[in-house]
Amino acid sequence: MGPLVKQLPISVGGAKKSDVRMQIAALCYRVVKKKVQVLVISSRGTGRWIVPKGWPMDGKTPADAALQEAWEEAGVIGKVVSAPLGLYSYQKVQDAAPDFPCIAVVYAVKVKSLAKEFPEAGERRIRWAGRKKAARLVDEPELSRILRDFDPRKIAPKTVD
């Protein structure tokens, strides 16, 4: 495994520790003609570009929860890496409640295919982009860095479920 990517400091916007929530995120990727492409999806609320993410799931490992979120939000069929790539912070925007800070733990998912039918089909836009382009599309600086610096060759093969 190659050198680790330097993690940027996170920001919880002055919130108390008890106010911060954790989510699980999926960095979905494929390699086409030796070029790494990353999947980004639109959020349902604001339409901004994000990666699939959601809440931890009872009875599932965080990596398995990331794969489940990728399936539900983008129809991803693939394999997840059991070790996290990193984490990023963001403000969870809600319609009927105040926003609150979240930390998202990111897991790599190697995409085999995308299903036409999946739970949130038609609710989001799905886009493949190179790492640099994907990094520019997302708003969160730490996620941008994770996307830009992601290198699937540096994932230890034994960590793939």
Side-chain angles (χ1 to χ4, degrees):
M1 192 163 171
L4 296 175
V5 174
K6 184 179 188 295
Q7 180 69 49
L8 294 177
I10 60 171
S11 172
V12 295
K16 295 181 280 186
K17 289 187 286 187
S18 60
D19 294 337
V20 180
R21 313 274 170 64
M22 182 183 85
Q23 287 203 305
I24 307 297
L27 187 164
C28 302
Y29 74 96
R30 66 184 182 186
V31 180
V32 177
K33 297 181 182 176
K34 298 184 181 181
K35 300 272 188 191
V36 177
Q37 295 181 336
V38 174
L39 184 81
V40 291
I41 62 173
S42 62
S43 68
R44 287 191 291 191
T46 62
R48 64 192 173 83
W49 292 109
I50 60 172
V51 295
K53 67 181 177 305
W55 302 109
M57 296 177 186
D58 190 37
K60 288 192 181 283
T61 66
D64 288 339
L67 186 59
Q68 181 69 31
E69 290 297 338
W71 159 253
E72 291 177 7
E73 296 182 1
V76 168
I77 299 165
K79 288 195 173 205
V80 66
V81 177
S82 59
L85 292 171
L87 50 87
Y88 68 96
S89 57
Y90 71 100
Q91 284 293 117
K92 178 77 174 165
V93 178
Q94 303 193 106
D95 292 334
D99 298 352
F100 56 85
C102 277
I103 303 295
V105 182
V106 183
Y107 292 85
V109 174
K110 185 171 185 179
V111 178
K112 288 182 185 174
S113 62
L114 295 178
K116 288 187 180 2
E117 296 292 323
F118 54 94
E120 296 182 17
E123 296 178 29
R124 300 174 186 275
R125 290 174 292 143
I126 296 171
R127 178 175 179 178
W128 287 102
R131 290 174 289 191
K132 289 178 183 175
K133 176 73 172 181
R136 287 192 302 270
L137 289 171
V138 300
D139 289 339
E140 299 81 7
E142 300 111 3
L143 175 59
S144 179
R145 175 120 183 215
I146 291 168
L147 294 172
R148 188 189 69 228
D149 295 345
F150 175 67
D151 185 347
R153 296 170 300 180
K154 294 182 180 173
I155 298 172
K158 67 179 181 289
T159 63
V160 177
D161 294 333

